Amino acid sequence: MWAIAERKPETRAEENFTFLSKGVTFKGVIHFDGIIRIDGRLEGEVHTAGTVIVSDSAVITGMVSAGTVVTSGKINGTVTATEKVQMLKPGVVIGDVRTPAISVEEGSHFHGLCDMGEHVAEASGNVYDLTTRRGKLSSEVS
């Protein structure tokens, strides 16, 4: 009977949930496993193999690197996702996006360069600066 009470439930990375609430400002670098929901302001970097959820009240200035990014807030910076990026109304992304799959809902805004090349899946969380490729991509298209 005592042994049952002492057992701790196992938690998987997918079950970890981090929350940055509205009214909170965070400056720095966040590395974690699992899901993070941001309702406040973040200046810096977010790195996870899991999911980043950016609510409509959130403002991120910096880099976001995740498996999946779902945003209805404002992101000003580079977004890298190894699985997909979903932009929902009234979301705004000003910056470059690197992902194998993207969806942009009507009513959301995107201003930047999107790279959906084969090499994207190999990123596995590494941030990739698309500004260095702008000239190369322009010449490849011409």
Side-chain angles (χ1 to χ4, degrees), residues 39-61:
D39 286 357
R41 300 179 70 85
L42 183 135
E43 293 180 31
E45 301 176 15
V46 178
H47 300 278
T48 183
T51 301
V52 175
I53 302 167
V54 183
S55 78
D56 57 354
S57 63
V59 177
I60 297 177
T61 304

Side-chain angles (χ1 to χ4, degrees), residues 67-71 79-81 83-87 93 97-104:
T68 300
V69 177
V70 180
T71 183
V79 177
T80 303
E83 294 177 28
K84 64 182 172 181
V85 171
Q86 291 181 305
M87 292 179 54
V93 174
V97 174
R98 181 174 189 226
T99 183
I102 187 169
S103 68
V104 182

Side-chain angles (χ1 to χ4, degrees), residues 78 96 127-133:
T78 304
D96 297 331
V127 176
Y128 179 74
D129 185 10
L130 294 175
T131 56
T132 59
R133 292 192 33 99

Side-chain angles (χ1 to χ4, degrees), residues 23-139:
V24 173
T25 299
F26 179 86
K27 293 181 181 182
V29 179
I30 299 174
H31 289 274
F32 66 95
D33 292 324
I35 300 170
I36 184 169
R37 178 183 167 122
I38 301 171
D39 286 357
R41 300 179 70 85
L42 183 135
E43 293 180 31
E45 301 176 15
V46 178
H47 300 278
T48 183
T51 301
V52 175
I53 302 167
V54 183
S55 78
D56 57 354
S57 63
V59 177
I60 297 177
T61 304
M63 291 185 265
V64 178
S65 177
T68 300
V69 177
V70 180
T71 183
S72 59
K74 295 179 177 97
I75 300 176
N76 188 352
T78 304
V79 177
T80 303
T82 56
E83 294 177 28
K84 64 182 172 181
V85 171
Q86 291 181 305
M87 292 179 54
L88 307 174
K89 179 181 175 182
V92 176
V93 174
I94 299 172
D96 297 331
V97 174
R98 181 174 189 226
T99 183
I102 187 169
S103 68
V104 182
E105 184 178 60
E106 185 175 347
S108 61
H109 300 280
F110 172 57
H111 181 74
L113 180 67
C114 183
D115 184 356
M116 296 176 64
E118 291 180 19
H119 58 279
V120 173
E122 300 168 6
S124 70
N126 294 329
V127 176
Y128 179 74
D129 185 10
L130 294 175
T131 56
T132 59
R133 292 192 33 99
R134 284 186 194 264
K136 292 178 185 176
L137 291 174
S138 299
S139 64

